Amino acid sequence: MCARIHDAAFYFIDTTTDADMQSVTEASDCSFRRYEGLRLHSLKQQVTSAKENWGGEMEDNDRDLGVSVYEKANALLENIEKAESEMWKVKSKEFENTLKRVVMQCNDILRHIASFQLPPVYPWMLELTDGGPGVGVSSAECRWRLLEKARIHNSDKVLRIHRAREDSGQNEAERLNACIGDALCDGGNLKWQIYKPLHGLSVDEISSLTNSELETQRKANMEKNAWAVAEEVVRRVDDAPAPRGYMSAMMVDKPEEMVFYNRDFMKQYHDAPNNKKNTVPGHGYFAKLASFEEEHCEKGELYMEYRRMSCQEKNGELCEYCRATDFLSPTSATPTPRPYLDYSKLPDFHYLPGTKTPTTGRKPDDYQPRAQIKQMFQEGTLKAGDKNAIKDFSEKYIVSEKLVAYYIDHLTDIELRKDKRRTENDRKSTARKEYNDIDWEDLYHKNQLSTLRVGELELYINHHNILFKGKKDEKVRVVKAHIGSKHSASL
């Protein structure tokens, strides 16, 4: 209970910014006011859920501490309900004061929980993945959620690394995925349609509903099926063997019950141009997160590292967050050593030992072969079939020529497909164009009619009923002559 209430209270305080509160207007449909209402509702839901899940079965002293938090949570809920009831009645400034009273109570609960001196979350965290962020999740959202968790848990250092695929020797995430597959494929069926599309409705109820209402019912039962299957997956995976022991599986919260309730707003903020970001509800908090990421994170192609107080290395001073917190670990969070070449071992390929690897004065991905191949390929200094360039790269970054050539071929194939798509899109765009979409006079005077495609030139020829067939350069001359004749006639 303490952990859940702590996280919810901290997150509410952290997401409260003057910029967001001052964006609230008197308009009846103010999106910023609705956003603040969503924050209150999420806090209320999290605190209520934490209270309901507290069993209270423990030793007397621990139970007394729990009861004290329980009572403070009740007082907080009363204040939240009062704020919700006033939300659409009070003016902007009064509403800001109402939110600040909730913030004060959240701070009071955090101080109370801190007085228990409970064991902290481990201050250094390592996250290993075997690919991108996942289906329907952006890389930007993953980065910011990592930072939000680091702030909530007061982490000193968090490192996320994307491991190489199809290499289970060094890819822990891939090995774990294999164990999950073994647990799921236990010989039993994984039934999907537990609830039929119109489950729970009588014949009379079905006949009385409209098509849209029936579709709503079908979608609701489909969602129930999804959650039921997820529960079965949890039962199969939980406590199944894993490389270093046994796995723990649990159900994810439903979207409306998650601590991080602001996904849609976060996506809007990321997608909005810079001059429109302040129109997105929550922009004050998201701007704070963006600045926090810039000041505290080092990002490479396959890794991201957050270090508390690294803002001082970049700005010469600590940020507001770091000034208010201190290290939990005995020592400060130094940069994680990244592979550094050991040329003394050539022709064998080796990196320096971790203890001798320099960590300062280095750029991200300075010796990451894939990132360097990408950069040189884009610059045109590394091309498919250029054996000398491939050999030089192989010796500099101690990676086999075969692997370098393979990845260059892969990039070449990607670029080829991009060009194909670009050409097809241009053709489709041309096909959609009409005569009036092109400024013929302007192109004539700038002598740029030759930049038009054949299909675009034919728009002019057909519009003026010119009987002509020929190659592109001939069509350019015909169009140019026709426009020129009109100018001569006007003189």
Side-chain angles (χ1 to χ4, degrees):
M1 181 178 68
C2 286
R4 290 195 63 181
I5 291 178
H6 168 277
D7 293 355
F10 181 94
Y11 195 58
F12 185 82
I13 296 168
D14 208 28
T15 55
T16 303
T17 68
D18 290 339
D20 288 325
M21 291 189 292
Q22 291 165 7
S23 296
V24 174
T25 67
E26 310 302 327
S28 59
D29 60 344
C30 176
S31 59
F32 295 98
R33 196 180 287 255
R34 283 202 305 273
Y35 170 78
E36 296 300 333
L38 177 62
R39 292 201 312 118
L40 286 169
H41 176 76
S42 177
L43 175 62
K44 177 181 175 180
Q45 194 280 329
Q46 292 297 322
V47 173
T48 301
S49 177
K51 282 177 51 192
E52 291 173 349
N53 292 328
W54 182 55
E57 297 179 2
M58 53 191 68
E59 295 180 6
D60 291 343
N61 185 47
D62 289 340
R63 178 175 172 78
D64 291 341
L65 295 177
V67 168
S68 67
V69 174
Y70 194 95
E71 291 172 349
K72 284 187 175 292
N74 282 335
L76 174 60
L77 288 173
E78 289 177 10
N79 215 335
I80 294 172
E81 289 174 359
K82 182 180 178 182
E84 286 181 323
S85 65
E86 295 177 353
M87 193 174 74
W88 294 101
K89 300 176 183 176
V90 297
K91 294 185 177 180
S92 303
K93 191 63 180 176
E94 295 171 0
F95 184 61
E96 189 176 331
N97 292 332
T98 300
L99 288 176
K100 286 182 177 179
R101 285 195 292 272
V102 177
V103 169
M104 288 175 62
Q105 274 204 297
C106 287
N107 273 314
D108 181 52
I109 285 183
L110 292 183
R111 285 192 295 269
H112 187 64
I113 293 175
S115 69
F116 301 163
Q117 296 184 332
L118 299 174
V121 176
Y122 195 77
W124 287 25
M125 298 294 293
L126 172 63
E127 295 185 1
L128 301 174
T129 75
D130 65 344
V135 178
V137 182
S138 69
S139 176
E141 182 182 350
C142 282
R143 295 198 309 270
W144 281 13
R145 294 307 186 204
L146 179 147
L147 294 176
E148 287 178 316
K149 289 186 289 184
R151 290 170 70 96
I152 290 172
H153 296 148
N154 202 21
S155 302
D156 291 341
K157 182 176 182 177
V158 182
L159 177 62
R160 171 179 284 168
I161 302 175
H162 293 314
R163 292 296 203 186
R165 290 182 178 179
E166 300 177 4
D167 184 3
S168 58
Q170 64 163 325
N171 191 333
E172 294 86 345
E174 194 165 271
R175 293 203 299 272
L176 190 62
N177 285 343
C179 294
I180 293 172
D182 291 342
L184 287 175
C185 301
D186 61 355
N189 293 328
L190 194 60
K191 188 177 179 181
W192 165 252
Q193 195 175 45
I194 299 169
Y195 301 98
K196 293 184 178 180
L198 299 179
H199 173 81
L201 295 178
S202 66
V203 175
D204 292 338
E205 287 173 328
I206 293 173
S207 61
S208 65
L209 295 177
T210 64
N211 282 334
S212 62
E213 289 171 335
L214 288 173
E215 186 61 29
T216 300
Q217 183 68 23
R218 288 190 186 95
K219 288 181 179 178
N221 283 327
M222 185 179 291
E223 184 176 338
K224 287 174 68 176
N225 281 326
W227 286 108
V229 171
E231 289 175 356
E232 174 62 22
V233 169
V234 166
R235 283 193 289 270
R236 294 192 186 190
V237 173
D238 192 44
D239 213 28
R244 298 182 183 178
Y246 297 89
M247 293 182 285
S248 294
M250 59 203 74
M251 290 282 287
V252 68
D253 290 334
K254 294 182 178 180
E256 63 272 15
E257 298 173 1
M258 289 184 176
V259 174
F260 301 128
Y261 53 84
N262 50 12
R263 184 183 182 190
D264 291 341
F265 297 105
M266 184 178 286
K267 184 178 186 306
Q268 289 177 37
Y269 184 86
H270 278 299
D271 294 344
N274 289 334
N275 62 341
K276 296 289 185 181
K277 289 189 182 297
N278 60 0
T279 64
V280 179
H283 66 89
Y285 173 64
F286 299 137
K288 181 172 77 171
L289 264 186
S291 176
F292 190 76
E293 178 186 9
E294 183 67 26
E295 293 176 344
H296 297 83
C297 294
E298 180 177 274
K299 298 186 289 285
E301 186 189 35
L302 299 175
Y303 77 96
M304 171 178 168
E305 182 176 64
Y306 158 77
R307 290 187 297 119
R308 188 208 296 275
M309 298 191 183
S310 58
C311 51
Q312 191 164 30
E313 300 169 10
K314 296 182 179 180
N315 302 332
E317 60 180 1
L318 295 176
C319 67
E320 181 181 357
Y321 174 82
C322 291
R323 285 197 301 269
T325 58
D326 201 358
F327 287 111
L328 290 177
S329 44
T331 59
S332 60
T334 55
T336 302
R338 289 180 281 114
Y340 196 87
L341 312 179
D342 186 355
Y343 292 117
S344 66
K345 299 292 180 67
L346 289 174
D348 294 330
F349 293 163
H350 287 277
Y351 291 106
L352 287 174
T355 53
K356 296 181 179 180
T357 298
T359 57
T360 58
R362 296 181 59 185
K363 294 181 179 179
D365 294 331
D366 51 359
Y367 288 106
Q368 211 282 344
R370 196 173 83 161
Q372 294 299 324
I373 292 175
K374 275 186 179 180
Q375 181 179 335
M376 295 177 68
F377 180 82
Q378 290 168 357
E379 293 171 350
T381 56
L382 201 56
K383 299 177 181 179
D386 190 340
K387 294 184 178 180
N388 290 332
I390 290 173
K391 182 180 179 182
D392 291 343
F393 185 94
S394 170
E395 293 176 351
K396 181 176 180 181
Y397 293 97
I398 59 171
V399 59
S400 73
E401 294 180 34
K402 181 180 178 181
L403 292 176
V404 176
Y406 176 82
Y407 194 59
I408 293 173
D409 289 341
H410 172 67
L411 293 177
T412 303
D413 180 58
I414 291 175
E415 199 62 33
L416 177 64
R417 280 181 281 154
K418 280 183 180 178
D419 288 340
K420 291 282 187 185
R421 286 195 299 269
R422 197 178 298 119
T423 301
E424 289 176 5
N425 291 335
D426 288 345
R427 286 174 180 169
K428 290 177 182 178
S429 176
T430 300
R432 289 193 296 267
K433 277 187 178 179
E434 296 181 1
Y435 174 82
N436 292 327
D437 293 333
I438 300 173
D439 191 340
W440 302 100
E441 294 288 337
D442 183 62
L443 292 173
Y444 172 80
H445 289 297
K446 291 180 178 178
N447 197 27
Q448 293 179 350
L449 288 168
S450 59
T451 63
L452 295 174
R453 295 181 178 275
V454 171
E456 293 168 323
L457 292 167
E458 288 175 349
L459 289 174
Y460 186 95
I461 292 171
N462 295 333
H463 182 80
H464 291 280
N465 297 318
I466 302 172
L467 298 176
F468 177 79
K469 290 184 178 181
K471 296 183 178 180
K472 177 183 175 179
D473 55 346
E474 295 172 333
K475 290 180 179 179
V476 170
R477 287 196 293 271
V478 168
V479 172
K480 188 181 293 185
H482 190 270
I483 296 175
S485 66
K486 290 195 295 183
H487 283 282
S488 299
S490 65
L491 294 174

